[in-house]
Amino acid sequence: MAEAHQAVAFQFTVTPEGLDFQLSREAVRQLYLAAVHSWKKRLVRAKNSFLTGVYPASPSSWMVVVAATAGSCYCQVDPSLGLIARIRHWLEALPPPAQTAVSTVLFSTGAWLAAVLLFRRVLRLLLSYHGWMFEPHGHMSRSTRLWIALMKVMSIRKPLLYSFQSSLPKLPVPPVKATIARYLESVRPLLDDDKYAEMEALAKEFQEQTAPRLQRYLRLKSWWTTNYVSDWWEEYVYLRGRSPIMVNSNYYAMDFLYVTPSPIQAARAANVVHAMILYRRRLDRGEIPPMMALGVVPMCSYQSERMFNTTRVPGKEADTLLHLADTKHLAVYHKGRYYKVWLYYGGQLLPPADLEMQFQRILDDPSPPQPGEERLAALTAGERVPWAEARARFFSRGPNKVALDAIERAAFFLTLDEEEHGQDPARPGCMDAYAKSLLHGRCYDRWFDKSFTLVVYKNGKVGANAEHSWADAPIVGHLWEFMLATDTFQLGYTEGGHCKGDPRTQLSPPQRLRWDLPPEAVAAIEASLRVARALAEDVDFCCFAFSTFGKGLIKRCRTSPDAFIQIALQLAHFRDKGRFCLTYEASMTRLFREGRTETVRSCTSESTAFVRSMADPHGSRQRLFKAAAEKHQQLYRLAMTGAGIDRHLFCLYLVSRYLGTQSPFLAKVLAEPWRLSTSQTPQQQLKMFDLNKFPDHVSSGGGFGPVADDGYGVSYIIAGENLITFHVSSKFSSPETVRGLIRAHPCASAHPRIPDHSHLADPCPSPKS
């Protein structure tokens, strides 16, 4: 119980002689250092808030203004046009020299603040320009060149993470007429003439009768909120969902595809955890520069705020997000036991060698799980209402509340997994098992409510399972790239695979969390586990690396790699189903303040025309392919610049529900299933190492579960010049999916609808191919 003694600075006991105080000098020292560390962090945050508040100006520019004003006054030139004299008149109580100095400083400060506000206004106007996105690749107009030059001048000072936040423009509300026109265009290839005429009539009625009123309310919301979509999107798409978030919402990220830096589980966990806390420290200090397009266009960084110290708390009607400003410990799971591991000692972050020792102590701990402890996390994998009820009933007081707080208030959750996973050519399907393990595991060995769960396997491979409500995948991808690069190229390992340095053996061992779970709580855990297992067993994954060619060849053909893959997916789906479907591709709107995502409807008239031409040996495939790729790029640009379809219609639908207005058009639109849901995993956002020099250190990307029960979820990462990794998910229970069809009808293994990937071999089809 050494950790318990260090938790208090003094103890006292009552004796016949009076109170007997026992002072712990080490505990007092630790409390003092922790207080110093906390105050340092507060000062850094206060400093960063000031620096980001006056960006693009700086404190030194204020001193220049004060010096210039004082110099002008000394030369008997009044730059204030009499304002300094008027301020001096209000300071008659001060001596004359003090009156001059104070009035000069006050005027200079006011002039400097006015300049700051002007510069920020100009910066916002510059950031509202998106014409650069719609120019042909390799060609830049004079207006765009001038705009880039002005942006470089305005952002000449090195920005902090949140320097541009208040200068980013708001997401615009598109005109209803334009949104409906684009919507009808997107569904035209999916509907026959009669159904399209019906939809067109519903859209016309909505546009003329219902939409104007809804649009007025939506514009009003856009005036008084930072982003008219994001708060509703977070609440209604994520936090109000009552179904399990495991598989349905959470997503995963994988390790390097070919490389495992260390096969020692405790050592890899230590380096990875240390790298992540280094990233958290940079976040707290604002030292991470914002992501920039073209090197000058900042993207919104607000999603990064809740990356650490965040937990989704279940509720009966809606969940909430618990976020703490700081926390100094980690929650760890191994073999059914939960531990609390301190990340700091003496106010300093534990080095990897100390963390390795702590994790090894957990791995060597022979103690068994307490009754009900092993499968406790199944509550986070099941439906939300039973979890909310169990939390209120069994975890609101006593030791269970203390232990649950230790998990929910941890920086993040770590699972030291007993299995081995990763790429192995000798084991067919190993990547499929790796994906399923990260997506749902055993349904009770991941804390699905945490912002993310770090998983470290027995063979040293790592992965993560991320909760979706607090941020989107590129934010986690940013952390993941930093962690992998720092782990491998900065921290490193000894020749034996251990962390560098010598551990301090005097550190107290990890604290075992204690639970007191009654039979009713165990029954609730088992009920959630049954729901979660049924969901997990129904999920099928096919994860594979395609290395015949990659973005290098595609770009040489003057085609967007993303557009090429989206068209290939349309062709694969058509060969599988014999028909087209509504297709979802996630696009970001982080060019706007608090922007999250928008939908690119990848199934277009142009892409379907190309797909049909593949069955025609005399069709003009090259021309149709180019038209489909250009159309896709145009839709992607519109989505990124706030002219998308689905978020606008989603918000109009919510306004109609608030007003009690029925709209057959909106109800039909929101009920349409996304049978093909796709997303691209970003690669090399940070560029901390040269992938050309270290081609084996390519990421495997990540994936997610199917959105529709009878559809596919496809995630892909365009990694390197000659590699594209796909993560394809579906459900066994659906006869509409390939593997589901095979399971339901074993003789269907030779079914002609099984996807043929041979079309991927020719990225630039010619009219004769």
Side-chain angles (χ1 to χ4, degrees), residues 310-326:
T310 300
T311 298
R312 178 169 173 165
V313 178
K316 290 187 178 181
E317 294 184 359
D319 296 349
T320 56
L321 287 174
L322 170 67
H323 174 68
L324 304 176
D326 190 25

Side-chain angles (χ1 to χ4, degrees), residues 76 129 261 272 335 370 382 457 479 554 558 602 645 671 681 721:
Q76 297 183 350
Y129 172 74
V272 167
K335 284 189 176 181
Q370 301 160 77
Y457 294 101
L479 162 70
I554 298 173
R558 298 181 180 180
S602 302
I645 300 170
T681 304
E721 296 296 304

Side-chain angles (χ1 to χ4, degrees), residues 333 335-338 369-377 442 444:
Y333 177 92
K335 284 189 176 181
R337 294 93 40 94
Y338 289 86
Q370 301 160 77
E373 179 184 19
E374 181 179 12
R375 300 177 175 182
L376 174 63
R442 298 180 181 178
Y444 58 79

